[in-house]
Amino acid sequence: MKKTLIISANFLIVIFSIFFVVLYARKQSAEMKAYNTDNFMTMSIGMEQVTTNYLEGEQRLCDSWAACINRRKMNMSEAMSYLKVAQRIQNISAHIIRLDSFTGYSNKPKIDNPNEFTVSYQEIDIFSSLNELLGQQEQVRVTRSYTNPMNGIQSIAFCDLLELRVDEEDSVGKTNTAASETSTSKSKSSHFEKAVLMRVIPVELLASKWVFPSEKYSDAQISMIDSEGNYIIKGKSFKNSNFFEFYKSYNQVTKENFENLKSKIHETGMLTMLNSKGINCLIVHIPVNTSFDWTLLTYIPMEDITKNNIDWLLVFVVSISLIVLLVFDILVIMRFNRKLAATAEEADLANKAKTVFLSTMSHDIRTPMNAIIGLTTIAEKNVEDSNSVSDNLHKIKQASNHLLTLINDILDISKVEHGNISLSPVRFSILELAENLENMALPMVRQKNIDFKFQKNNISEEFLYADKLRVNQIFINIISNAIKYTPDYKEVFVDLSEKPSEKENFVKLIYKVSDKGIGMSESFMEIMYEPFIRQTDSRINSIQGTGLGLAITKKMVDLMGGTIECESKEGEGTTFTVTLDIEVPEVEKDAPVQEENNFDLTDMNILVTEDMDVNWEVISTLLGMYGIKSQRAENGKVAVDILRNVKPGEIDVVFMDIQMPVMNGLDATREIRKLENPYASKIPIIAMTADAFSENIAECLEAGMNGHIAKPIDINNVIRELRKLRQTTPKN
């Protein structure tokens, strides 16, 4: 019953959808066709206005020449000299033709004879239709298109009437070239003869004015015809020599309709017709206002007018798709059910993978924890043996650092995968970082009797500007793996070198770690950068690791815009090469490195905001070792209350924990910055928290703090931060 209902409902939806799509498409098609037609008509009228303005402008220029010649009563020689100066446009020429002989002169020579300026219109019948126009004013007087006898180019000519002075002793009529006219002798008496001034313009120059301002009508063409249908300007798709012949050749039409077409063509309107290829096209016809018998014709295939309308292919595809959806609806549901089952299976596998991961992490975390607890117990029982206590404390520190690394790895990979990690660049010494790296590695290599070499080459820039924590993390992960997976008495070689970078004010830092360890298989190398992946090998089952080191390293290298390459072969060893482009900071006036005795810190008073008793005991004891006085605030609210009435010199710096009851460190900092006490509101506040990632540091600075120190506390970092504040803060 439910199956039948679902199929019936789908069937009705499909039928309704197809019906609606067809009706809507037809409606849109009709509306779009009407819009495109009206738009094309509007553009065509605009083309007529462009044509009118152009023709009137050219006629005015021709009339101004004629007025100047007539007013000055020039003869033929003087008129041609004037036109040679007045008309200099390359593709346009000026002719003066005597009406009695239809011969005259051009201001530009024949194309095949640069010394010949005479021109004849005796074989070109273009003046008979101008006789009536030449006597009218305020009218465009232009010929039909004809072949210019001087250069053979299809042209039209704007005309005006001249009355040229003819001197009795003038030699113009007796010479063959315009050049000889300049040497005529002065006459004692003269009379006037009529002539026509012609401004001759190539047809293609006029056609270049007709460009539709829309890509939609890129196939549009324009022609111009006279009252008899003869082409004055001819578009490439207009066939025959006469538009009416063109229409009659490719369209079946009755005599009555044909005569009606001939009478209506010189009025503004439109018609459809078949072109020479049998394609239906739209013709818009508009009379040219400035001419008594010219008509502008715009042409466009109807498919351009109806394009973007109904797409029957789309309708067909949609319809078929809906039908296919109906037919296979049940199969899709069944497949979806199978996919859900597969997803459930994948989730089960994921849960098992998490279980394995938690088991591994439990083992890896318990190992250093066991060492810390056991060594602490041993130290307590041998408290009087200073050598034993010192040795146990050293081992506890190593185990603690290992535990911290494990925790940081887990947090880092989570933040990297969620895109929540950012870089916090600082100025640091690469040589100091390398020295610390080497010192960190020495206990491990001595324990395994590994032949260890750490080489630094071509380090010209000691101080660099980058995220020191991330650079150190990359280097430690790689060298730790090399030592961890290299058997006893084998070799590990580290090479840290510097090369010029393609970037300005950058150096290319190359960190290469090679070992003679167990190597990796090709199959494992394809997935070695994925989180929680470790090579399945009996040789490494006893080696601690989370499978996060390489994943984090790759993410960090990518985040810093560097590259990491690996070469490895099972049983022979592995070589990792990391390349980073790191900025070189500007040289400061004073040297972020000072000797320990540069500043006296014993007069400093510090307010430590810390809710944990053990943490307060640790930091107060460490500060006391340097003679620095400290007092405690159990939470952020207590700190605000203490600072509310503090006087200058009573407290110099505030160490602020973040995660505290009553009021956390961020809120406390914001409240301190709002205090009315001017000294308290500007007192230096340093975050001292286990929230040690870049985004945590940024959050502290945004709240109004002046610096950040990560837990577990490194007293060297604390002293360095205090010296920095003492340098930048005036002493009260």
Side-chain angles (χ1 to χ4, degrees), residues 1 4 55 118 183 501 600-601:
M1 181 66 180
T4 303
L55 295 178
T118 60
S183 61
S501 172
D600 185 10
L601 303 177

Side-chain angles (χ1 to χ4, degrees), residues 61-205:
L61 187 57
C62 182
D63 292 346
S64 67
W65 291 349
C68 181
I69 293 172
N70 288 336
R71 185 172 62 253
R72 296 182 182 180
K73 299 184 177 0
M74 296 182 183
N75 60 22
M76 177 69 81
S77 175
E78 293 167 342
M80 291 309 304
S81 297
Y82 165 74
L83 291 175
K84 287 181 180 180
V85 175
Q87 171 51 45
R88 292 180 176 272
I89 300 177
Q90 183 177 1
N91 296 326
I92 299 176
S93 59
H95 297 173
I96 296 181
I97 306 300
R98 296 186 177 91
L99 288 179
D100 57 354
S101 62
F102 298 116
T103 61
Y105 297 92
S106 169
N107 71 333
K108 293 184 178 179
K110 286 189 175 181
I111 193 170
D112 57 351
N113 188 348
N115 297 318
E116 182 62 61
F117 290 85
T118 60
V119 60
S120 173
Y121 279 80
Q122 292 175 342
E123 303 299 326
I124 304 175
D125 182 18
I126 60 171
F127 292 103
S128 58
S129 60
L130 288 177
N131 289 334
E132 189 175 331
L133 281 175
L134 287 172
Q136 299 181 12
Q137 299 296 324
E138 303 300 329
Q139 177 71 49
V140 174
R141 297 173 289 277
V142 62
T143 69
R144 64 171 175 79
S145 61
Y146 70 97
T147 302
N148 184 345
M150 299 298 288
N151 55 22
I153 296 176
Q154 197 74 8
S155 307
I156 60 173
F158 295 86
C159 305
D160 203 348
L161 187 63
L162 295 179
E163 290 191 354
L164 295 176
R165 188 182 82 246
V166 180
D167 299 323
E168 291 184 356
E169 298 181 7
D170 192 356
S171 61
V172 171
K174 302 176 184 179
T175 61
N176 292 325
T177 65
S180 65
E181 293 181 300
T182 59
S183 61
T184 59
S185 61
K186 296 182 178 179
S187 60
K188 297 181 180 179
S189 62
S190 60
H191 65 276
F192 292 88
E193 65 175 348
K194 291 188 177 182
V196 176
L197 171 63
M198 304 176 66
R199 178 173 168 81
V200 184
I201 299 176
V203 167
E204 64 180 15
L205 188 61

Side-chain angles (χ1 to χ4, degrees), residues 7-52:
I7 294 176
S8 299
N10 279 309
F11 180 77
L12 291 176
I13 292 172
V14 168
I15 295 299
F16 173 78
S17 299
I18 294 175
F19 181 72
F20 175 79
V21 168
V22 172
L23 287 183
Y24 183 78
R26 290 175 65 88
K27 179 177 177 293
Q28 288 293 101
S29 175
E31 291 177 355
M32 187 59 70
K33 180 179 179 181
Y35 170 80
N36 287 340
T37 301
D38 291 343
N39 195 34
F40 186 68
M41 170 65 86
T42 301
M43 289 188 176
S44 299
I45 293 174
M47 290 295 103
E48 185 277 331
Q49 187 60 51
V50 170
T51 302
T52 298

